[in-house]
Amino acid sequence: MKTKILEPTKENITYAGRMLAEGGIVAFPTETVYGLGADAFNEEAVKAVYAAKGRPSDNPMIVHIARASDIGQLTPRLSGDIVALIENFWPGPLTMVVKKKPGIPDATTGGLDTVGIRLPDTQIARELIEAAGCPIAAPSANISGRPSPTKAQHVIDDLSGKIDAIVKGDDCRVGIESTVLDVTGDTPVILRPGIITAEQIEAVLDKKVEIDPAVLKQSTDGSLKPKAPGMKYKHYAPKADMVVIEGQRDKVKKEIERLKGLNEQLGNKVGVILFEEKAFIEAAHDFFARLRELDKENVDLILAGALSDIDGVGFAVMNRMLKSAGYNIVKV
Ligand code: AMP
Ligand code: MG
């Protein structure tokens, strides 16, 4: 298949919207990462997205809408919490998992009776969904298991020839995927951490927010079953081996230098990922792009410094970093 690469002009967005309405699959920019979209109500189109990505079919997709009021097409009822979260965080990088309406195909929700919904914060995404005239199911526009795409070029590298079109846009502002929040029960539960933190959600709802224990514990044993099916899969893996070095900042820096030297002596090409201390927003923005750069440089080993003080945004980045490294951690 020839993939059309489209500049985000009004005509092209209308054209790409028509492709989506007719069952095509189209990648587009959002503020988190690039998404690969299909009509959420079209089972065949949704299946084509799974096929293009090589994504396991039990991993539900997030459904993207163009206006908050469109949420009524997907869920039978709104709670006070849902309304407050919409008012405070949409458009933006918060996905809400809610009870689904029966018309949504099982393929879209991985057979669950809930659906994850989000209103993205880029005009291109919203105009495209509007032009399609239907909610758009969209996982990240990468080959499953590879780092998420934060630049149009990443999508071209992974999916060119496998999808109908790519609408190009700016590099993604946030750089990591949305916070996924289950709001089906009384206590909201974070299933995937993101740039919108538990603390911010607690401030809006004036109640305690839980974090799925599987998200917290994965780093040590992996025995818990995550409630977001996607969280159990190997993720974001660079081609190189990767090690996360954790500990006090100076010691981490020293250990990275030591390991780099040792491995280079053995003839290995070594890449380093070390963000400024507490620069969590920048780390989120750059992390996936940095992994892909190092892949392009064909490094054999990536040494990454763990972020310190990891709650909030730092916690969300560390969640990705540990997965990329396959929980390969050296403590100093
Ligand atoms: P991606 O589309 O690659 O950003 O991944 C979407 C993430 O949201 C995966 O971890 C999914 O498992 C999770 N997710 C989407 N919908 C649901 C749902 N209805 N229930 C639980 N997790 C969900
Ligand atoms: Mg993904």
Side-chain angles (χ1 to χ4, degrees):
M1 167 190 309
K2 173 117 178 68
T3 301
K4 294 206 166 59
I5 309 222
L6 305 170
E7 293 299 327
T9 60
K10 205 168 178 327
E11 298 73 47
N12 280 344
I13 289 174
T14 307
Y15 172 65
R18 202 163 55 235
M19 279 180 169
L20 285 166
E22 288 168 1
I25 58 176
V26 176
F28 59 95
T30 79
E31 78 281 24
T32 56
V33 302
Y34 272 74
L36 175 58
D39 175 354
F41 288 107
N42 180 335
E43 194 171 344
E44 288 313 309
V46 167
K47 284 185 175 160
V49 168
Y50 282 101
K53 279 179 61 78
R55 180 175 171 109
S57 61
D58 73 339
N59 188 1
M61 294 191 189
I62 292 169
V63 179
H64 295 67
I65 53 181
R67 269 172 277 116
S69 54
D70 292 342
I71 193 173
Q73 297 176 32
L74 302 165
T75 187
R77 56 181 170 271
L78 298 182
S79 65
D81 282 358
I82 295 175
V83 172
L85 291 167
I86 291 175
E87 282 170 356
N88 283 276
F89 296 113
W90 277 10
L94 177 72
T95 295
M96 280 190 266
V97 171
V98 298
K99 194 157 180 45
K100 83 165 180 178
K101 272 198 168 168
I104 307 172
D106 276 345
T108 304
T109 59
L112 299 174
D113 59 2
T114 55
V115 57
I117 310 173
R118 187 166 102 77
L119 177 65
D121 191 21
T122 59
Q123 210 176 334
I124 297 174
R126 290 200 302 270
E127 281 176 4
L128 179 65
I129 300 165
E130 186 85 47
C134 53
I136 297 296
S140 49
N142 55 325
I143 295 289
S144 220
R146 299 261 303 126
S148 294
T150 60
K151 297 170 185 279
Q153 188 59 45
H154 298 160
V155 184
I156 296 170
D157 291 345
D158 275 21
L159 295 175
S160 200
K162 298 192 167 124
I163 64 179
D164 294 294
I166 300 170
V167 180
K168 284 172 86 175
D170 292 334
D171 295 355
C172 301
R173 173 173 60 79
V174 174
I176 58 172
E177 306 87 343
S178 57
T179 304
V180 176
L181 184 71
D182 181 343
V183 287
T184 55
D186 265 353
T187 303
V189 185
I190 290 187
L191 306 185
R192 175 173 73 184
I195 204 161
I196 293 178
T197 63
E199 212 180 347
Q200 286 174 293
I201 298 167
E202 283 173 348
V204 164
L205 299 181
D206 197 23
K207 61 160 89 160
K208 190 85 195 125
V209 167
E210 280 174 12
I211 297 179
D212 182 1
V215 174
L216 292 167
K217 281 269 290 187
Q218 255 173 349
S219 56
T220 45
D221 60 19
S223 60
L224 292 166
K225 190 167 178 284
K227 291 205 186 71
M231 296 293 281
K232 70 177 178 281
Y233 291 108
K234 184 170 151 65
H235 243 95
Y236 318 131
K239 290 177 192 145
D241 286 337
M242 179 167 165
V243 184
V244 176
I245 294 106
E246 200 178 271
Q248 198 246 330
R249 181 96 181 156
D250 290 341
K251 287 192 183 155
V252 167
K253 276 189 178 165
K254 272 202 192 115
E255 183 64 4
I256 288 180
E257 279 315 306
R258 195 179 74 86
L259 291 174
K260 184 167 186 280
L262 283 173
N263 279 281
E264 282 173 348
Q265 274 174 24
L266 295 176
N268 289 313
K269 192 163 176 187
V270 181
V272 172
I273 300 181
L274 187 64
F275 296 109
E276 291 293 316
E277 204 166 10
K278 300 198 200 291
F280 301 136
I281 300 283
E282 288 80 356
H285 182 267
D286 293 345
F287 178 64
F288 287 131
R290 189 81 188 107
L291 285 183
R292 281 179 179 262
E293 264 168 36
L294 292 172
D295 268 353
K296 284 216 157 144
E297 290 169 23
N298 281 315
V299 301
D300 304 295
L301 176 67
I302 298 173
L303 301 170
L307 302 174
S308 50
D309 287 348
I310 52 154
D311 35 73
V313 178
F315 172 65
V317 180
M318 276 312 289
N319 172 264
R320 274 75 177 178
M321 192 184 279
L322 291 170
K323 283 183 173 219
S324 309
Y327 298 96
N328 199 357
I329 309 169
V330 169
K331 293 205 161 94
V332 291

